[in-house]
Amino acid sequence: MKRAAILIGVNKTGKLPQLHDAVSGARRMEAWALQQGMARDAVKLFTDDTGPLEVRDIKKAIRSLVDSASIGQLIVYFAGHGVNLHRGEYWLLSDAPVDTQEAVNVEGSVALARRAGIPHVVFISDACRTAAEGIQAQAVTGSDVFPNDEVSDLEQSVDIFFASTLGKPAFEIKDPDAASAAFRALYTDTLLHGLQGEFPDALEAAALGGEAARLVRPRLLKKRLQAEMTRRIAAAGLQAAVNQVPDARITSDDDAWLARLPAAETQLHRGAGDAILRPAPPFAPAPRTLQTVSGELLDAALHGAPPTPRMGTPAPDDVAEPGSGAEPAITAEPSIAAERELDELLGGATRDTAAEGPTHFETGCGFRIEGARVVEALARGADTEVLAGTASAATGTRVRVKLPAGPAASVLLVLEDGGSVLVPAVAEFIAVLRFEDGELADLAYEPAEGSWRWAPYREHLDELHTLRNTIAAAARLGVFRLEGDNALVLARRMQYAKGVDPALALYAAYAYHDLQRQDLIRHMADYLSMDLYFTFFDIGLVARLLDGKRVVDDARFLPCVPLLAQGWALLRAFRVQLPDGVQDLQRHLLPSLWTQFAAAGTALLRPMVLSGRIR
């Protein structure tokens, strides 16, 4: 198998603080790639130490590798400043954010990489995933760095390793073995030790090309990186200041590998500038993280198994004796900040969401808004009325909707501050929008009382609320994953509860997209379309039903933009054409899990809705 690597290190981006180790980290990755036996011309290094780095150079190098049709594995590594926009990652290059396209749109690039014809692509991101600050940074649109050729009709495996979880920074820390001013990228150093074979539980013996070898497996490395990062932060005494837990989305098969090492135990050679760290203790405990707790809660909701109540993980009993030379075991207790997030996750999953307002409108359709005040409800394909006496931010708002014809219509709900959301009103459902601190935190559809859906909904009410709350809480914190058999179990659950809460399908569609389970997305799209007689925009997007289409030309999809904000990063990769003027709305998105517009976006939307350009 011919392997290649695109290695990017950017120390200086715009007016952001200069980094110390991004370029050096990329060079250490280059040394590792060459040590792995990758050909010199297949290892492309891009750094800003000799001048500004431009996205076109990266795109050209990737295009050359794709066009060669000879690469079996491509590793794309980035170290530098990153931001999270609308739940999508962007790597900032030298001229960002002044030049809005001088950044890598990671999610869009991943989508294109899946059909670029390379059997295994691996993205490695040693960058912050924090929200963009300021209007300038929020305007970044980025560029997709893989070609839009779709060489393969079948999706190939794409794995993604992140230095931190969604919304969190990635840290450089002082190197104790170097001068006091020297900093090292915590994640890159930890990752390289794993790739160099220093984590025995991430290795697996195998025969490769007729020779015995030890292979670093992606799934095993993902688990060990979380435990090892926690151990190193604790060993450096930085628990109070550093809350960094790596994340990864692995879709490759179990036989995939990232590094090949000799079968015999040998001394690994590092570059002259690398610090020598002792191997990790064999019993380093795995941390309780947002991901693990989210997985436990989802297991409990889907299978009925109680989640583990304790947040922290106790240290092993066999602590090394003084003077033995062995490192003591370190408890993987979460930091104070992590404890707060875990409590938030648990609190969201156990929130009582029993109906607090009407379960019935005489029209059989409407909205219940909690935690915000709606002052206007505008639609061309429906009659709307904000009910008197309900327009209070404390108690929420009720909006009655009458659908003269058709199964659904897009409604622009204008909030007291001038911002807005564009949400479908669906026949026989009451849409429940829950706002927290000004952000749309959850959208759910509850069957209207009196409809044929009401009886099965009441029968499974507690179970469905638990499942919905668990998924919503995990999604808001960026840790909703479907792993193991949960993907199939959730698909079956939504099918037997057909139409009970179609908003669950929106969460599930993106989770299946992350898993590259196009079969499950298409299946879900089919049965929802037959049940509701329309398709949510997001499901059509990730089901690849909108590829190359103008949304305004196809009345099956509502609304005309993604409901979940993460969908905006995929529009260009899938060549989806929004109605004229609607693409400009991306500049007016607010930081939110669900698509939410600032007042300037409302001003653009209002005439489009009233004129019927938006259904």
Side-chain angles (χ1 to χ4, degrees):
M1 177 176 70
K2 185 176 181 179
R3 305 168 68 200
I6 300 289
L7 310 169
I8 308 162
V10 183
N11 279 340
K12 181 60 178 172
T13 297
K15 296 180 180 179
L16 295 174
Q18 183 161 337
L19 299 174
H20 301 81
D21 197 42
V23 169
S24 296
R27 293 194 183 281
R28 294 198 297 279
M29 286 293 296
E30 178 189 38
W32 166 80
L34 295 174
Q35 182 186 1
Q36 279 287 299
M38 296 187 200
R40 173 68 270 183
D41 62 354
V43 178
K44 311 290 187 180
L45 178 67
F46 298 93
T47 66
D48 66 340
D49 52 354
T50 58
L53 178 59
E54 297 183 346
V55 71
R56 64 179 181 180
D57 297 326
I58 299 168
K59 294 170 70 172
K60 184 177 180 180
I62 292 178
R63 179 61 183 262
S64 175
L65 293 171
V66 169
D67 287 348
S68 73
S70 62
I71 305 299
Q73 182 189 71
L74 174 60
I75 294 174
V76 182
Y77 165 92
F78 175 82
H81 283 291
V83 295
N84 168 254
L85 285 166
H86 325 307
R87 303 285 162 152
E89 278 71 42
Y90 293 79
W91 296 338
L92 303 182
L93 303 182
S94 302
D95 290 336
V98 173
D99 187 330
T100 61
Q101 295 186 348
E102 281 299 311
V104 175
N105 174 357
V106 177
E107 293 299 335
S109 299
V110 166
L112 292 176
R114 291 175 176 179
R115 299 204 179 190
I118 298 177
H120 188 200
V121 177
V122 183
F123 286 79
I124 300 174
S125 176
D126 193 350
C128 293
R129 302 177 72 191
T130 50
E133 295 184 2
I135 295 175
Q136 187 183 53
Q138 291 172 7
V140 169
T141 56
S143 300
D144 304 328
V145 293
F146 273 75
N148 187 19
D149 286 345
E150 298 208 347
V151 174
S152 172
D153 291 334
L154 298 176
E155 287 195 350
Q156 305 289 345
S157 297
V158 177
D159 294 335
I160 316 172
F161 286 84
F162 297 108
S164 61
T165 50
L166 186 69
K168 295 295 180 292
F171 290 91
E172 292 181 334
I173 62 173
K174 287 187 177 181
D175 184 354
D177 297 325
S180 59
F183 283 77
R184 305 281 287 198
L186 179 61
Y187 179 74
T188 292
D189 265 6
T190 307
L191 173 73
L192 277 169
H193 281 83
L195 293 175
Q196 291 168 333
E198 295 194 13
F199 306 157
D201 45 0
L203 291 168
E204 192 173 273
L208 202 63
E211 297 181 2
R214 292 175 298 148
L215 303 178
V216 178
R217 301 289 194 191
R219 295 182 192 279
L220 298 178
L221 182 61
K222 171 188 174 180
K223 294 179 180 179
R224 183 52 193 265
L225 281 173
Q226 292 182 348
E228 184 62 16
M229 287 278 283
T230 299
R231 187 193 73 82
R232 293 186 182 206
I233 290 169
L238 296 173
Q239 302 98 310
V242 175
N243 177 20
Q244 181 178 346
V245 178
D247 194 6
R249 300 203 308 250
I250 308 300
T251 63
S252 56
D253 295 334
D254 290 339
D255 60 354
W257 53 275
L258 296 174
R260 174 178 179 169
L261 301 160
E265 295 287 341
T266 60
Q267 177 63 38
L268 296 171
H269 300 287
R270 301 176 180 81
D274 286 344
I276 305 297
L277 299 182
R278 283 179 289 173
F283 299 107
R288 292 294 302 284
T289 65
L290 284 170
Q291 295 102 312
T292 59
V293 173
S294 170
E296 292 170 2
L297 291 171
L298 189 59
D299 283 342
L302 289 174
H303 304 282
T308 306
R310 178 80 178 112
M311 290 295 97
T313 301
D317 294 331
D318 49 334
V319 177
E321 296 180 1
S324 66
E327 291 190 13
I330 297 171
T331 303
E333 290 284 344
S335 67
I336 294 174
E339 284 281 12
R340 284 197 296 265
E341 290 176 332
L342 291 166
D343 289 342
E344 182 180 346
L345 177 60
L346 288 169
T350 57
R351 179 181 288 108
D352 181 9
T353 57
E356 298 175 359
T359 56
H360 169 74
F361 290 105
E362 59 271 23
T363 57
C365 180
F367 293 95
R368 188 172 79 242
I369 297 92
E370 301 173 355
R373 180 186 175 203
V374 168
V375 296
E376 282 187 287
L378 307 174
R380 183 64 181 267
D383 299 325
T384 62
E385 180 185 3
V386 178
L387 298 181
T390 69
S392 162
T395 60
T397 313
R398 310 292 180 256
V399 178
R400 182 165 48 215
V401 178
K402 181 179 180 181
L403 295 169
S410 298
V411 178
L412 181 66
L413 299 172
V414 183
L415 305 176
E416 189 174 21
D417 64 359
S420 60
V421 292
L422 187 66
V423 182
V426 182
E428 301 181 326
F429 284 96
I430 297 172
V432 183
L433 289 77
R434 179 169 54 82
F435 288 82
E436 293 183 3
D437 300 323
E439 176 186 344
L440 179 55
D442 188 27
L443 168 66
Y445 285 89
E446 297 179 350
E449 187 174 358
S451 72
W452 67 268
R453 305 174 190 273
W454 176 251
Y457 172 72
R458 292 296 301 177
E459 182 181 351
H460 299 285
L461 183 62
D462 292 340
E463 173 189 350
L464 288 166
H465 278 175
T466 299
L467 178 61
R468 188 178 75 197
N469 293 348
T470 298
I471 293 175
R476 191 178 183 197
L477 291 171
V479 291
F480 176 46
R481 297 281 190 275
L482 289 172
E483 298 180 332
D485 66 347
N486 280 344
L488 293 173
V489 173
L490 180 59
R492 288 196 296 267
R493 181 67 52 88
M494 287 189 298
Q495 223 173 347
Y496 94 72
K498 186 178 181 181
V500 164
D501 183 1
L504 279 178
L506 294 166
Y507 288 117
Y510 286 103
Y512 293 146
H513 172 72
D514 289 344
L515 289 174
Q516 297 188 228
R517 290 299 305 267
Q518 197 71 15
D519 56 328
L520 292 178
I521 300 174
R522 286 291 183 97
H523 187 59
M524 185 170 64
D526 288 344
Y527 72 71
L528 280 173
S529 178
M530 289 187 293
D531 182 43
L532 302 178
Y533 302 103
F534 81 98
T535 301
F536 286 112
F537 180 100
D538 305 63
I539 295 176
L541 175 69
V542 294
R544 308 297 299 269
L545 300 175
L546 289 172
D547 284 19
K549 293 184 178 180
R550 282 176 52 85
V551 179
V552 72
D553 297 333
D554 198 327
R556 293 178 300 161
F557 302 97
L558 293 176
C560 62
V561 296
L563 278 164
L564 278 161
Q566 66 196 89
W568 289 85
L570 299 173
L571 295 178
R572 187 169 53 225
F574 292 160
R575 307 183 308 282
V576 177
Q577 302 175 52
L578 299 182
D580 293 340
V582 173
Q583 184 65 53
D584 296 337
L585 289 169
Q586 187 167 356
R587 296 185 292 113
H588 304 295
L589 293 177
L590 293 174
S592 174
L593 173 65
W594 295 83
T595 291
Q596 189 173 345
F597 300 103
T602 305
L604 291 175
L605 274 169
R606 184 187 299 273
M608 296 182 193
V609 172
L610 293 177
S611 67
R613 289 169 58 194
I614 292 179
R615 299 176 304 278

